[in-house]
Amino acid sequence: MLMQPTSQPTEPTETQDSNWAFRPEDTSATPSSSPQPVTWTASEFIAHHKDGGWYTLVIVGFIILCSAIYLVTKDIISVVAISVVAFLFLIVSSKKPKQQSYTVDDRGVSIGQKFYPYSSFKSFALLHEGAFSYISFMPLKRLMPELSIYFAPEDEARIVSVLATNLPNDQTIEKGIDRVMKQLRF
């Protein structure tokens, strides 16, 4: 013999609804929509003007470094290795920035054809370099370099709004190598 329940569940009334509970059919309880994606085009880095004096100073610095290492170690291989590094440094420093398309949405950051999910980053920081602002992403992987994106000042609030909903904003002090690279205007 089957037992029938004696009381039927009742629908909540105004007085019973004092404790809020999410009900899928209740559209007023849905969270606000996520920020709209932001797309823009900007330079991939800030290009600093380097005249002949800058290149001469770098070359003289590497010659002094190579001479000192040779005098200390008497090892020609170390001198050749540093010379190759100096040559590569000069080539990379003369590179001109390209225009890149950037998109920041609720899934991650797209730079050109590359996509970086937010799960790849620990945090982001809004930094300033002279008159320009940029966002630097701190990676979770040890060997992954920091990722920086540049943008127009009028887009800053919208970009930071999208990022702040997905990553913590960590305004930390710049690393030593970053300060050195800025001083070299690399």
Side-chain angles (χ1 to χ4, degrees):
M1 173 173 181
L2 292 172
M3 304 264 318
Q4 295 290 336
T6 57
S7 65
Q8 295 292 329
T10 60
E11 290 296 318
T13 62
E14 296 281 331
T15 58
Q16 290 177 331
D17 203 18
S18 63
N19 292 331
W20 183 86
F22 176 73
R23 291 181 295 279
E25 67 275 5
D26 184 4
T27 58
S28 66
T30 58
S32 63
S33 62
S34 62
Q36 294 295 318
V38 182
T39 301
W40 72 98
T41 301
S43 179
E44 61 183 338
F45 59 87
I46 297 174
H48 298 285
H49 176 70
K50 299 174 187 79
D51 58 2
W54 185 89
Y55 288 102
T56 303
L57 185 65
V58 170
I59 290 170
V60 168
F62 274 111
I63 289 173
I64 291 171
L65 180 64
C66 287
S67 300
I69 288 179
Y70 181 75
L71 290 174
V72 170
T73 65
K74 302 286 190 227
D75 185 17
I76 196 73
I77 294 176
S78 299
V79 173
V80 170
I82 291 174
S83 299
V84 169
V85 168
F87 180 72
L88 294 175
F89 179 80
L90 290 171
I91 288 174
V92 170
S93 66
S94 65
K95 179 184 170 194
K96 302 293 181 204
K98 297 183 289 185
Q99 291 292 317
Q100 292 280 0
S101 63
Y102 298 88
T103 302
V104 175
D105 59 19
D106 60 343
R107 299 179 310 119
V109 179
S110 297
I111 302 174
Q113 299 297 322
K114 293 184 181 180
F115 176 74
Y116 302 93
Y118 290 125
S119 60
S120 301
F121 304 112
K122 181 176 11 177
S123 63
F124 77 96
L126 179 63
L127 303 171
H128 304 282
E129 184 176 338
F132 299 101
S133 295
Y134 66 99
I135 293 176
S136 180
F137 294 94
M138 295 301 297
L140 286 173
K141 298 178 183 174
R142 287 185 183 261
L143 298 179
M144 181 179 174
E146 287 183 30
L147 180 68
S148 297
I149 57 174
Y150 292 86
F151 50 86
E154 59 270 10
D155 293 331
E156 179 177 325
R158 294 186 312 146
I159 294 168
V160 170
S161 171
V162 173
L163 293 175
T165 60
N166 297 291
L167 284 173
N169 186 349
D170 185 15
Q171 297 298 119
T172 57
I173 299 173
E174 286 183 289
K175 292 181 180 175
I177 189 70
D178 293 331
R179 287 192 298 264
V180 169
M181 295 309 265
K182 282 183 184 177
Q183 291 298 321
L184 288 175
R185 296 202 170 277
F186 184 65

